Amino acid sequence: VSQSRYSDGWMDKHESLAKASKELMLKEPFYGLFLIGLNKLWEKRVPTAGVSKNSINYQLSINEEFWNSLSHEHRIGLLKHELNGLLTQ
């Protein structure tokens, strides 16, 4: 299991994504509304992250190594960036 190091201990990729998502939903509910509806997928073929159409839904694909290289604040910024891309399509 790949993990990220934080001041509050080790978190795996799912926990760190959940933490960033929860914080974004609480601080900026507008984004949270769209974030909840996205399928989340860890994808090595994606160099960073991206939102794409998947059947009738959208999915957020994230490269785990890229995600692990980001600070918590940058992760929240990444989520907002990807959601903004979805909202402007």
Side-chain angles (χ1 to χ4, degrees):
V1 172
S2 179
Q3 297 180 326
S4 300
R5 179 76 176 125
Y6 278 93
S7 59
D8 57 350
W10 290 95
M11 278 194 276
D12 73 16
K13 61 188 178 185
H14 303 289
E15 292 171 327
S16 63
L17 178 56
K19 181 177 180 177
S21 298
K22 181 178 177 182
E23 185 172 327
L24 181 57
M25 285 186 259
L26 291 172
K27 289 185 175 180
E28 301 190 51
F30 175 77
Y31 288 106
L33 174 67
F34 295 97
L35 187 57
I36 288 172
L38 288 179
N39 294 322
K40 286 93 176 167
L41 175 69
W42 298 100
E43 180 60 65
K44 291 181 181 184
R45 293 178 292 171
V46 174
T48 55
V51 176
S52 61
K53 189 91 165 129
N54 183 13
S55 186
I56 62 169
N57 296 316
Y58 286 91
Q59 73 181 22
L60 172 64
S61 299
I62 306 170
N63 181 291
E64 181 178 354
E65 287 183 30
F66 175 71
W67 179 260
N68 288 338
S69 74
L70 300 175
S71 68
H72 179 70
E73 292 77 21
H74 282 104
R75 289 173 177 176
I76 293 171
L78 172 73
L79 294 174
K80 288 175 64 172
H81 172 80
E82 294 304 332
L83 289 167
N84 281 327
L86 174 67
L87 297 172
T88 59
Q89 287 186 4

